[in-house]
Amino acid sequence: MLRKKLGVLAAIFCLAITMSACGQEKKEESSKGEELEKITFAEPARILSVAPFYVAIEQGFFKEEGIEAKIASGGGGAQVIASLLSGEAQFAVSGPRSMFAPLDKGENLVAIQSLNSALTFQITFSKKYIKAKGLSKDSPFEDKVKALASSTIGTNLVGDSGDVYARYLMKLHNIDPKDFKTVKLSGDGSKIGGMQEGIVDGGVASPPMGLHAEGKEVGEIMIDMMEEPMYKNMAWEVVFADKDYLEKNHETSLKVVRAIGKGMEFTRDHPEEAAKSISPYFEGVDVDILEKSLIGLKDTFKGYGEMNQEAWDNAQDPLIEYKDLSGVTKEQDTAEDVIWTNKYIDEVFK
């Protein structure tokens, strides 16, 4: 039933997305002269923390595997699931949170690779708020987290992952988040503008928002969430698909893992070239900022995307704790080979 309902949404989405090649008839060939297999990846939005995936496309790693990778971008996690379950997309590139609701409804989704080994959110405070709180870049991490208690922070959507994981960070430091407020400010520009106008005291987002704010001298990155030990080991952006599809298309799944694994390695080793290659994905963002952001994210691009149970627990626990915000009400079994597996990575790279 869920698949049928979501199928309508996905069909509409296929007509609207800007970075997808739905309906494209042009045939491309691999270096061996063979026609490429067309695979669509659904993503909730354009996100720099999944850069290795984009790099794998731009550096030709997918074509080396005989795959023409298309991207269905936009619409958030719900649209990602709609596209995947309807068959419009074969793979999803999104956070584990996107998986939990359909898993709760009986869908059999499995993550086969992690693009990040840590939570990439940063919290940037406005310069005015930093001064009012007597903070600096060198202030203890604990003091910076305490400053969240009475703050108003811009996030893409009230109750989104930025909201939830910020609240849980406060709880980890025994700080009551009852006076912590969030305001919907979608996109980096809105958050920076909100700080400039005094609407919010800061913003929560993955890079490069914080660097943009610093470049405009509007604010400074005060909290890098991966400084928190729990968030330093966390399944954040993952590649997942329907289990039946993975089993029926085993070789294709191995090729996807291999291409993205190469993208992770390339992004770690060549951030400058990686930034240049994916700059068209982030119009209006200076290449130098992209490069600096990728260097800052380097430690999150570990190995070839291997995962562990603790990382999945660390992703799930805050969502369960704040279930009224997240909508994630049922704990999933996070043991290996249930909702995630390393077997494809092991087969390709071990």
Side-chain angles (χ1 to χ4, degrees):
M1 179 64 71
L2 178 61
R3 291 174 183 264
K4 291 180 180 178
K5 289 181 179 179
L6 293 177
V8 176
L9 287 173
I12 296 172
F13 180 59
C14 188
L15 297 174
I17 54 177
T18 59
M19 292 301 294
S20 171
C22 285
Q24 184 177 348
E25 297 297 329
K26 182 180 178 181
K27 294 182 179 180
E28 293 192 40
E29 296 182 346
S30 68
S31 57
K32 298 179 181 178
E34 301 170 344
E35 186 177 342
L36 298 176
E37 179 182 6
K38 295 178 174 62
I39 299 294
T40 298
F41 296 80
E43 65 172 10
R46 193 48 36 86
I47 310 168
L48 187 60
S49 52
V50 304
F53 167 58
Y54 306 141
V55 169
I57 295 174
E58 296 306 312
Q59 292 298 322
F61 298 141
F62 277 107
K63 284 189 177 181
E64 288 177 3
E65 299 297 330
I67 292 174
E68 178 187 345
K70 306 176 182 180
I71 304 176
S73 184
Q79 186 56 64
V80 165
I81 297 303
S83 297
L84 187 68
L85 297 185
S86 69
E88 293 291 340
Q90 289 72 52
F91 292 89
V93 178
S94 188
R97 180 176 178 176
S98 299
M99 295 177 60
F100 291 139
L103 284 169
D104 193 17
K105 291 178 172 62
E107 299 296 341
N108 206 354
L109 304 178
V110 178
I112 60 173
Q113 197 168 25
S114 178
L115 285 160
N116 292 105
S117 62
L119 181 60
T120 61
F121 281 140
Q122 297 171 330
I123 297 178
T124 302
F125 287 146
S126 69
K127 289 205 167 186
K128 180 181 178 181
Y129 192 70
I130 291 169
K131 184 178 180 180
K133 291 295 180 179
L135 296 173
S136 72
K137 285 276 193 181
D138 298 326
S139 295
F141 187 69
E142 182 81 17
D143 290 348
K144 295 174 183 178
V145 176
K146 285 180 180 178
L148 284 171
S150 57
S151 68
T152 300
I153 300 296
T155 188
N156 288 337
L157 185 68
V158 175
D160 67 2
S161 295
D163 190 346
V164 170
Y165 289 121
R167 291 177 188 274
Y168 199 82
L169 176 65
M170 295 169 69
K171 182 179 178 180
L172 289 172
H173 291 264
N174 299 312
I175 301 167
D176 191 341
K178 65 181 178 64
D179 293 326
F180 174 69
K181 298 178 182 178
T182 55
V183 174
K184 179 183 177 181
L185 292 174
S186 300
D188 293 356
S190 296
K191 296 180 184 70
I192 294 171
M195 283 186 268
Q196 285 177 318
E197 298 298 323
I199 298 171
V200 292
D201 301 311
V204 56
S206 292
M209 192 277 284
L211 289 177
H212 270 306
E214 290 186 348
K216 293 179 179 293
E217 298 186 348
V218 173
E220 292 186 35
I221 300 168
M222 285 287 113
I223 298 173
D224 197 330
M225 288 205 188
M226 69 179 77
E227 290 182 51
E228 178 61 43
M230 176 180 173
Y231 290 162
K232 193 171 185 178
N233 178 31
M234 182 172 158
W236 181 220
E237 308 287 358
V238 296
V239 181
F240 62 93
D242 182 84
K243 186 177 182 180
D244 288 341
Y245 174 86
L246 293 170
E247 292 176 349
K248 292 176 182 177
N249 298 273
H250 185 74
E251 289 303 315
T252 296
S253 303
L254 293 177
K255 291 175 180 179
V256 166
V257 165
R258 185 182 293 111
I260 293 176
K262 289 178 180 179
M264 294 185 73
E265 195 169 47
F266 188 92
T267 305
R268 281 196 307 270
D269 297 343
H270 308 284
E272 181 180 4
E273 190 173 345
K276 289 178 181 177
S277 70
I278 66 173
S279 60
Y281 289 69
F282 300 92
E283 292 184 12
V285 180
D286 191 87
V287 175
D288 290 339
I289 288 181
L290 288 178
E291 181 185 353
K292 189 174 180 180
S293 296
L294 291 181
I295 292 172
L297 291 169
K298 180 179 178 179
D299 290 342
T300 75
F301 304 138
K302 282 188 176 179
Y304 297 105
E306 296 89 341
M307 298 168 282
N308 59 71
Q309 185 172 0
E310 182 182 16
W312 277 84
D313 287 336
N314 291 343
Q316 178 174 238
D317 289 351
L319 300 174
I320 295 294
E321 177 69 25
Y322 291 100
K323 58 186 177 183
D324 290 341
L325 288 174
S326 71
V328 178
T329 59
K330 181 179 178 180
E331 287 191 38
Q332 299 296 326
D333 184 351
T334 57
E336 187 169 2
D337 296 325
V338 180
I339 63 172
W340 65 273
T341 183
N342 285 330
K343 69 179 184 180
Y344 294 91
I345 294 174
D346 292 341
E347 188 171 345
V348 169
F349 292 107
K350 305 297 184 183

